[in-house]
Amino acid sequence: MSETVERLGAFISASPTPFHATAVAAAALRDQGFEELPVTGTWGEEARGAAFVRRDGSLVAWNGARRSAVDPMRILGAHTDSPGLRIRPDPDAGRLGWLQVAVEVYGGALWNSWLDRDLRLAGRVAVDSGDGVESVLVDSVTGVARVPQLAIHLDREVNSTGLRLDPQVDLTPVWGLGEPAAGDLRSYLASLADVPVTSVRAWDVGFVDAQPPARLGRDGSLFAAGRLDDLLCVWAALEALIGSRSTEAPTDAVLVLVDHEEVGSETATGAAGAWVSHVLERRHDALGGSRTDLLAALAGSVCVSADVAHAVHPNRPERHDPRHQLVAGGGPAVKFNANARYATTAVGAAEFERCAEAAGVPVQHYSHRADIPCGSTIGPLTAAGLGVETVDVGTPILSMHSARELVAASDVDLLLRAFESWMGAP
Ligand code: CO
């Protein structure tokens, strides 16, 4: 178990942004003999075996076990993005001796958790190479900025009346001293990317918690890290796909990693976009199947939509439905919602529970309180977009959307075992 959590920690540390996450996943897949297919251009025989295609923060991969054109697929999907602070296009700010970087909040971040943390800058830079635009990953690796909270002496009521933050005013990080000058951030990005400053055209760059993942608890039973939502599921799904790769594998297992879940998924590489179905169509075409064959295969397929769930909070158990309080260390949860905020149907739930049981993994059930609005995830979008039976599954965590979240170390192992069974099951 200890080794499992360490592998997850290494993946999270190497993946400060969706672009990094898919780059790390691509390297792991290439290492295991998966063929990388071009985003543009026609796919041929090489799409028949274990292969993948990567575009920005999204990646689709399969294990090469498909036998016929109408074979049903076992799909496992997760999202690569996490809430955080994104740097604005004209970011050079500051006053009164402080250098600052103008940011915008990405997704439903718990704002207070971003205060007084060492922040690491990472993302991708669009570089003009002379005859085109090239995307270069950048990462400060260590902390370079911080959003300073007002001292208690200057905000006397904060503990009694609650912390109120205006994202336009209170979340701008400091990252140095002096007078701001236009081009400060651009030249910093150029130095990280190791390119001339004049070639930096634009960027998708943000701040994440710089603190490395860590084991906690008196016996190391807890694991704290940024971006557990949803890199925990991304990592487990990736390992499960790699594990399923074998000529004897009975299942056509497909891994789907998508970006922009935290902002609604309606983007070129999000779950609500056309990208994933385009990839499946191109794959089917390369494998000699018709579009009708693909539609038949999809009609018989099942998708696990993997995203974290809410573990019961010991200080606020009343925030959870009393009959659906997820126990940390109790295994993955299947998420249900009568109004389809989760896509799970009885059949999908039964399929997943069957696989989990075969691996000796206990399964819990999640259902949100009726008087608190329920979140959602990529499940309903995959179900609708692909017309595929979908089950929403997730590991219980605490502090979802905080800059640093908390999970039971044993749940990491249970999720991986359940996914391995899912991807390898007949
Ligand atoms: Co999520």
Side-chain angles (χ1 to χ4, degrees), residues 105-180:
V105 178
Y106 176 85
L110 266 178
W111 297 342
N112 66 299
S113 71
W114 290 82
L115 304 175
D116 298 339
R117 273 177 199 278
D118 300 354
L119 301 177
R120 165 183 176 186
L121 180 151
R124 68 153 176 197
V125 176
V127 173
D128 193 331
S129 65
D131 42 25
V133 175
E134 215 182 299
S135 179
V136 180
L137 296 186
V138 293
D139 183 0
S140 71
V141 183
T142 55
V144 291
R146 180 178 169 114
V147 183
Q149 188 172 356
L150 212 48
I152 184 88
H153 318 81
L154 306 176
D155 196 6
R156 284 288 183 193
E157 311 288 286
V158 63
N159 287 337
S160 49
T161 59
L163 177 66
R164 293 182 69 87
L165 297 170
D166 177 340
Q168 180 66 27
V169 175
D170 296 308
L171 295 180
T172 311
V174 296
W175 78 317
L177 302 173
E179 287 300 310

Side-chain angles (χ1 to χ4, degrees), residues 79 81 229-230 261-262 307-308 377 400-401:
H79 67 89
D81 62 320
D229 179 2
D230 190 25
E261 189 275 341
E262 300 293 356
D307 203 348
V308 288
T377 177
M400 195 186 292
H401 290 194

Side-chain angles (χ1 to χ4, degrees), residues 286-340:
L287 270 43
S290 69
R291 182 173 154 78
T292 317
D293 291 337
L294 171 62
L295 299 182
L298 282 170
S301 299
V302 192
C303 171
V304 160
S305 153
D307 203 348
V308 288
H310 299 291
V312 65
H313 196 295
N315 300 344
R316 293 286 182 180
E318 76 282 0
R319 298 295 169 96
H320 307 265
D321 180 80
R323 302 203 48 77
H324 300 91
Q325 299 186 330
L326 300 181
V327 177
V334 174
K335 303 184 238 180
F336 295 82
N337 183 264
N339 297 296

